[in-house]
Structure formats: structure tokens, C-alpha cells
Amino acid sequence: MISEKKGAILILSGPSGCGKSTLLKEVYKDIGDYYFSISTTTREPRVGEENGIDYFFVTKEEFEKDIEDNNFLEYALVHDNYYGTSLKPINKALEEKKLVIFDIDVQGHELVRNKLDSIVTSVFITTPSLKVLEDRLNSRNTDEKEVIENRVKNAKVEVEYFRDYDYLIINDTLEEASKQLVSIANITRIKTKLFDKDSIISSWL
Ligand code: ADP
Ligand code: 5GP
């Protein structure tokens, strides 16, 4: 039986408010054996967010200690807060041959690409326009006015990076964008690079 497949990484990036979390919740039921990478952050939890589910919420000092101890695969300052991906759970999930899903910013994408290019697939998600992004951030109603303004300002810079990604999803209707994300997640799992070539041949012959 042909089964010698490696774990893979699927990176989702896109301006805050484009719909990454909403889309992921929508598609999990249609994606095989996956592990969502829970990031660590120094930002305050939003209403409804839970420690250990949405993020690991830590202090700046705790985060800096993790940096010193080399606990991160990557980390970055985003919108004035630290965000990082812890190495240990990622290695474990990859050893278990899972599809590891990251919701990280454009800096994180570049860092992970440089380290683990052969197993990375990436998708940039955006809204049809900046105006729609602003409307979504406002209607989400989770952030102060200044926080939203800062995120919109950053979005103008972030969107330029879409060209570095493998795929682009314009999240207009949730239905269409979800279908596209499911297709990408499934195709990510069957890249030839992920198979052990010798054992494929010897088990096939
Ligand atoms: P992100 O995780 O990228 O910051 P969210 O998933 O929190 O973004 O989405 C931001 C807001 O936009 C939420 O209120 C969400 O319900 C809404 N939203 C997401 N996708 C769509 C869509 N396709 N159409 C309309 N509203 C959407
Ligand atoms: P939010 O505060 O809206 O949850 O996330 C803000 C931004 O931080 C988003 O662009 C999100 O993708 C990014 N982000 C979340 N976790 C990580 C992480 O572990 N590393 C990096 N580099 N960015 C992250």
C-alpha cells in the first residue's frame, strides 16, 4: 500500500478582518487529519476568546523568555504585539503526518518558508476591497476604534505581499471562499514532494 507520506504545512495569511478564523471554522469538517497551530501572543484576549483554544495569552516577559529559550519556530511583532508559533507541538503534529494549519502574518510566512519550504503551501486571503475589510472589522465589534484604524493601516501594506503566496482567495461570499480553501487544503496533501519516493516505488512494484 502506498502510504509513506510526510506531514505538511498550510499557511493562511491576510489582513485582520478578512475572515481567516471564520473560514477555518467553516472548512474543518471537510479537511482530513489536521492540526491547527495555536499561536502565543501578548495581545489582550477579545470577548469570547479562550486561552489555549484561540491563543496562548502571555505577558511580554513570558514571551521574551520563550524567545531566549528558542521555543519558537517563528515570531513577529504584529500591530504592536508579539505573536509566535511554538516549535514543539508543530514537530509532533508533523511527525504524526498531519496537515498543520497556521494563521500567521506575512513576516511569519516568510520565516517559515525559508525554514521549511519543501512542505509549505500558502494562501493569502483578502476581501474584495479595503472598504469591505473596514466594514467587517467594524461589524465584528471586537476592537476599539484606534485598534481598527491601525489594522486598516497595516492592511494596506500587508496586501502587497499576496504575490509571495501560492494561492489567493478573495473572501467575498463565505460559500465560495470555503470551497476554494477546502480544495487548497486537499491538494496540499498530495504534492509529490510529500511522498517518500523510494518506498512508493518499492511498495508499488
Ligand atoms: P480574521 O480572522 O481574518 O481576523 P474574522 O474571521 O474574525 O477575520 O472575520 C472578520 C469579520 O468578518 C467577522 O465578523 C466575520 O463574521 C465576518 N466575515 C468573515 N467572512 C465573511 C464573508 N465572506 N462575508 C461577510 N462577512 C464575513
Ligand atoms: P489577531 O490579533 O487579529 O488575532 O491577529 C493579528 C495578526 O497576527 C494576523 O495577521 C494573524 O495572522 C497574525 N498572527 C497570529 N498568530 C501568529 C503567529 O504565531 N505568528 C505570526 N507571525 N503572526 C501571527
Side-chain angles (χ1 to χ4, degrees), residues 57-185:
F57 295 99
V58 299
T59 62
K60 192 162 172 263
E61 290 69 34
E62 287 169 319
F63 199 101
E64 285 171 345
K65 172 87 172 61
D66 270 349
I67 298 177
E68 250 174 56
D69 295 345
N70 286 321
N71 285 341
F72 290 119
L73 167 64
E74 65 76 35
Y75 69 91
L77 256 182
V78 191
H79 316 304
D80 309 324
N81 279 299
Y82 278 127
Y83 292 81
T85 307
S86 295
L87 200 49
K88 260 194 209 156
I90 303 306
N91 281 339
K92 181 169 178 284
L94 287 174
E95 271 162 28
E96 290 166 357
K97 305 181 195 307
K98 292 199 164 129
L99 176 65
V100 185
I101 302 177
F102 290 3
D103 172 346
I104 59 176
D105 86 318
V106 295
Q107 305 168 77
H109 167 249
E110 198 178 334
L111 291 164
V112 178
R113 257 277 165 225
N114 289 339
K115 287 189 182 169
L116 297 166
D117 185 48
S118 69
I119 58 167
V120 168
T121 300
S122 64
V123 50
F124 194 89
I125 300 174
T126 188
T127 47
S129 68
L130 187 64
K131 173 77 176 65
V132 174
L133 183 79
E134 226 173 322
D135 291 347
R136 284 193 192 159
L137 283 169
N138 283 315
S139 62
R140 187 168 68 183
N141 208 15
T142 50
D143 301 296
E144 300 293 328
K145 195 164 165 278
E146 304 80 72
V147 172
I148 293 182
E149 277 168 9
N150 192 26
R151 282 165 186 252
V152 169
K153 196 175 110 215
N154 286 335
K156 293 182 197 169
V157 179
E158 285 164 346
V159 80
E160 293 275 340
Y161 285 80
F162 90 86
R163 65 193 90 228
D164 298 338
Y165 286 71
D166 297 315
Y167 299 102
L168 173 68
I169 294 180
I170 296 169
N171 178 17
D172 187 358
T173 71
L174 201 54
E175 195 192 355
E176 184 58 26
S178 303
K179 272 194 215 154
Q180 291 176 339
L181 186 55
V182 170
S183 304
I184 294 166

